[in-house]
Amino acid sequence: MHCDNEQQLTPIQRILMVVDMIPEGKVTTYGQVADLAGLPKRARLVSKALKSSPPSRNTPWHRVINSQGKISLPKDSHGYRTQIELLRCENIEVNQGKVRLSDYKWQPCIATLVMDLPF
DNA sequence: ACTAAGGCAACGG
DNA sequence: ACCGTTGCCTTAG
């Protein structure tokens, strides 16, 4: 018996599991993370989850942007600059705080997700 | 590109 | 427990 108790993960835990799966060099949106986590219409919860995730967890929070391809942080904030830097470190182009989703959006294989996520 | 409105949960009294 | 406010992603215009 290995891990039956994973049936009742909290929404935030599920969100972070999805974020963990975003490959390096790719981005996705808050809304898609929520959808993949089985939480439609809860994009806002995704930002809460990312905010509450301790740095020691190494969650790739910077790979989550909004549906316009823009960074959802105040332009004058430290987080804004950090996110751009992290994205560029993995060869993602950022212009005017914006990423071309048509070039960099993660297109997950559903079959893979089903196998890797316990829900 | 920008604004408005919809949606939804956390928060405060 | 109830309800208005707040915050903010998404969609529509």
Side-chain angles (χ1 to χ4, degrees):
Chain A
M1 241 11 73
H2 356 108
C3 22
D4 283 291
N5 36 334
E6 309 227 356
Q7 208 75 47
Q8 31 188 339
L9 292 167
T10 69
I12 286 184
Q13 288 176 313
R14 290 157 58 157
I15 286 168
L16 293 179
M17 291 184 72
V18 170
V19 174
D20 286 338
M21 297 177 71
I22 308 170
E24 191 178 321
K26 293 290 179 183
V27 297
T28 191
T29 66
Y30 295 90
Q32 182 170 39
V33 171
D35 287 347
L36 293 174
L39 303 162
K41 306 281 190 170
R42 301 211 198 148
R44 204 183 154 259
L45 190 59
V46 175
S47 63
K48 187 201 168 194
L50 295 178
K51 204 172 294 187
S52 69
S53 158
S56 59
R57 190 181 180 288
N58 290 324
T59 307
W61 61 273
H62 58 285
R63 297 179 189 145
V64 184
I65 58 183
N66 70 25
S67 63
Q68 322 289 315
K70 293 189 289 190
I71 286 169
S72 270
L73 287 173
K75 280 174 286 301
D76 57 1
S77 67
H78 177 258
Y80 179 87
R81 290 184 288 275
T82 303
Q83 187 164 16
I84 291 178
E85 183 180 344
L86 290 171
L87 291 171
R88 288 182 173 152
C89 276
E90 35 194 85
N91 295 317
I92 294 170
E93 292 177 51
V94 187
N95 303 306
Q96 322 294 324
K98 201 162 105 187
V99 174
R100 284 213 176 284
L101 291 178
S102 55
D103 292 340
Y104 295 104
K105 188 166 182 188
W106 178 36
Q107 256 107 38
C109 168
I110 302 302
T112 301
L113 290 173
V114 170
M115 294 193 62
D116 292 352
L117 297 173
F119 49 87

